[in-house]
Amino acid sequence: MVMKTPLVNFRRMSVPTPWWVVLTLAVPLLLFRLCRLVVRNRRLLPEVAAVVVLVWAWAEYGWAPLLLGASLAAGLVGLWLWRWPESCRRWLVLPMLSRWRRLWAYWRQWDEAMTLCGLVKTYDGGRKVPTLLSVRCTYATDEVRLRMPRGQNPEIYHKAGSNLAYSFGSRHCRVFSGRRTSPPIRDGRWAWLLRLVDRVRFRDRPRHVWLVFIRRDPLTQVVSPLPVQARPDFTALPLGLREDLEVYTLRLLATHLLIAGATRMGKGSVIWSLVRSLATAITSGLVRVWALDPKGGMELSIGRPLFARYCDDDWPAMADLLDRAVAKMRERQARLRGKVRVHTPTVDDPLIVIVIDEIAALVAYLPDSELRGRINASLALLLSQGAGLGVLVVAAVQDPRKEVLSLRDLFPTRIALGLTDRAQVDLVLGDGARDRGALADQIPLTSKGVGYVLLDGQPEPARVRFSYISDDLIRDMAATFPAPAEPQSVTVHTYRPSPRPASGPLLPSKLRAALESTQDGEAA
């Protein structure tokens, strides 16, 4: 006989809760969640408010007033864009584009793209997604600022740059771990207060990363020559345009510059853009350019009047010119020792810029070993000691390998134009430069003058197109800004080739003397 167990009904004990307790606990919790939702999506409040106002106006007055108001607003915007286009784009078009791109292109698919690109972290059963902070549109780029989850570093985003670009409908994505803009210079009565505000606004945020998506490539067009500065700033010489259409400025003071690029990739554009930016200083005597063109003058001879000293077809004269530069550097060392650490250019004591179009022809390809060793020694001294003394070297090279250019590491500033090998990118710009976006080996032949440079304070390379200086413009510059005569006051050793042994078979000295005496007797 089977015993049946009676079913036991378990019920939770229900305690009635007074209504005032429910309101006391639930209402603050709901308000807290609502405030948190508003704070997290505060950048969408203008759009939400605009939609609410439009819906209320349509329900209250109908569609006719809305159509009339839209037509009036469009007319005012059109007038603004016609009469003052720059201010309209700055204050209306670009901010509206930034809001639209943030909502439609990024916020809508942010979670999906971050997950598929492998940038989402998991912790304690939850997902940590990079936080989208802001989107700023320029004429050609979208600058997306995000905050990384804990446990990540910018190198992860560098490696995922290509995936991020195609995920958001772009072909290129540059990743920057530093702030894109610098604090403004404040002056006036309230400058002290604004500096305090800037100290908070522009403080260092290591977890913030900037993703720069290229909507359109602004560097496909040739960059026109930039205006000649009345008073050149040696810490910011304009040479071309960056990818965000900002002017790229080069710091030349107290540094040496190496320009690496394959043949016909625009090394001349960099050199002549630099010379053009120094034109007024050249003609005033504040800067003296000493030019060496080992290719027989095919590049630099067209601007000969711009150069205080010039050599193109005499190898010993080139070595003598570098020796004069070393002597000038030594003279400044003795005069400035213990007084200053960086030379200040003056007309009486000018900045000397030594421009070498193909440095490998001097340090690697020169057949005379003695002359080549002398040039290498002079360049090593100039590159290691001349920057602070105002004797600077600007050199161009096609092959930056160590066995060709052993002095490569002595150039603090480097520019990588189109290269033939991906390994050469890291040789020029440093290890890991290509992984950080410097695709110099992928620059097509149609993009002459396009290259990658390292900006001050940023480990990520920037893409730049240097201005194109035509031959006619170079001739005009040479006629308008000629260099004053160079005083020949520095005496140096003049190179003379060492005597070579007489050609012919190797004979003992006594036998050779007997043969020579016999020949002399026959001749007599």
Side-chain angles (χ1 to χ4, degrees), residues 322 362-364 371-381 406-407:
L322 294 175
L362 296 179
V363 300
L371 190 59
R372 186 174 65 248
R374 198 175 131 213
I375 290 175
N376 272 282
S378 298
L379 284 174
L381 289 173
S406 59
L407 305 174

Side-chain angles (χ1 to χ4, degrees), residues 325-341 343 349 385-386 388-391:
V326 173
K328 187 66 176 178
M329 181 189 69
R330 294 295 194 191
E331 183 268 331
R332 286 183 179 176
Q333 280 180 335
R335 179 162 41 88
L336 301 178
R337 184 184 298 119
K339 298 179 181 179
V340 295
R341 292 190 297 172
H343 168 262
D349 199 14
Q385 304 177 24
L389 296 168
V391 183

Side-chain angles (χ1 to χ4, degrees), residues 143-453:
E143 297 183 4
V144 179
R145 182 167 61 97
L146 61 87
R147 182 171 57 245
M148 298 182 295
R150 288 181 175 84
Q152 289 185 349
N153 62 75
E155 290 296 328
I156 301 176
Y157 293 83
H158 284 298
K159 296 178 181 178
S162 298
N163 296 337
L164 288 170
Y166 285 94
S167 297
F168 290 108
S170 177
R171 290 188 179 274
H172 300 284
C173 174
R174 314 272 184 244
V175 181
F176 296 89
S177 58
R179 182 177 293 276
R180 298 284 292 159
T181 56
S182 302
I185 300 175
R186 304 294 189 179
D187 54 2
R189 180 181 302 178
W190 300 102
W192 63 273
L193 180 59
L194 295 176
R195 291 193 192 99
L196 293 178
V197 175
D198 291 339
R199 186 176 298 178
V200 177
R201 287 181 56 206
F202 292 90
R203 68 181 183 273
D204 184 29
R205 293 180 171 90
R207 290 177 59 192
H208 287 195
V209 172
W210 281 259
L211 308 178
V212 180
F213 295 94
I214 312 301
R215 293 198 314 273
R216 62 182 182 89
D217 189 0
L219 303 182
T220 55
Q221 302 295 326
V222 176
V223 177
S224 301
L226 301 177
V228 178
Q229 293 180 312
R231 298 184 62 183
D233 182 2
F234 299 135
T235 62
L237 296 173
L239 301 187
L241 292 181
R242 296 185 343 205
E243 213 164 25
D244 54 2
L245 294 183
E246 295 291 332
V247 176
Y248 167 66
T249 57
L250 171 73
R251 178 184 177 87
L252 183 64
L253 190 65
T255 189
H256 303 292
L257 173 62
L258 178 64
I259 308 162
T263 180
R264 313 307 300 171
M265 290 306 296
K267 294 187 292 296
S269 295
V270 185
I271 293 175
W272 287 116
S273 297
L274 177 61
V275 173
R276 179 174 176 82
S277 65
L278 296 171
T280 54
I282 290 174
T283 193
S284 66
L286 189 62
V287 173
R288 295 191 178 273
V289 180
W290 297 3
L292 286 79
D293 193 348
K295 295 190 296 186
M298 295 303 297
E299 180 66 39
L300 301 180
S301 62
I302 192 172
R304 174 65 182 87
L306 291 164
F307 309 133
R309 298 177 186 268
Y310 176 78
C311 280
D312 60 12
D313 59 354
D314 190 348
W315 304 105
M318 295 181 192
D320 292 341
L321 187 62
L322 294 175
D323 286 343
R324 291 189 183 95
V326 173
K328 187 66 176 178
M329 181 189 69
R330 294 295 194 191
E331 183 268 331
R332 286 183 179 176
Q333 280 180 335
R335 179 162 41 88
L336 301 178
R337 184 184 298 119
K339 298 179 181 179
V340 295
R341 292 190 297 172
V342 178
H343 168 262
T344 301
T346 62
V347 175
D348 296 330
D349 199 14
L351 183 71
I352 298 177
V353 181
I354 304 172
V355 177
I356 307 174
D357 182 43
E358 180 53 57
I359 190 174
L362 296 179
V363 300
Y365 306 146
L366 190 61
D368 191 329
S369 60
E370 181 180 350
L371 190 59
R372 186 174 65 248
R374 198 175 131 213
I375 290 175
N376 272 282
S378 298
L379 284 174
L381 289 173
L382 293 173
L383 292 173
S384 60
Q385 304 177 24
L389 296 168
V391 183
L392 312 180
V393 178
V394 176
V397 68
Q398 294 185 25
D399 190 352
R401 291 177 299 172
K402 192 73 174 180
E403 55 268 22
V404 175
L405 185 60
S406 59
L407 305 174
R408 184 189 65 233
D409 294 335
L410 297 179
F411 288 89
T413 306
R414 307 174 194 176
I415 297 174
L417 301 173
L419 298 171
T420 58
D421 187 4
R422 59 182 299 159
Q424 293 181 357
V425 181
D426 290 344
L427 291 177
V428 177
L429 298 178
D431 291 340
R434 195 182 187 282
D435 293 336
R436 294 192 296 269
L439 305 178
D441 57 307
Q442 297 182 6
I443 298 177
L445 292 175
T446 56
S447 299
K448 298 178 181 179
V450 176
Y452 292 87
V453 298

Side-chain angles (χ1 to χ4, degrees), residues 268 272 276 299-306 469-480:
W272 287 116
R276 179 174 176 82
E299 180 66 39
L300 301 180
S301 62
I302 192 172
R304 174 65 182 87
L306 291 164
I469 312 295
S470 64
D471 292 350
D472 293 336
L473 184 57
I474 295 173
R475 295 187 184 96
D476 182 69
M477 289 166 46
T480 308

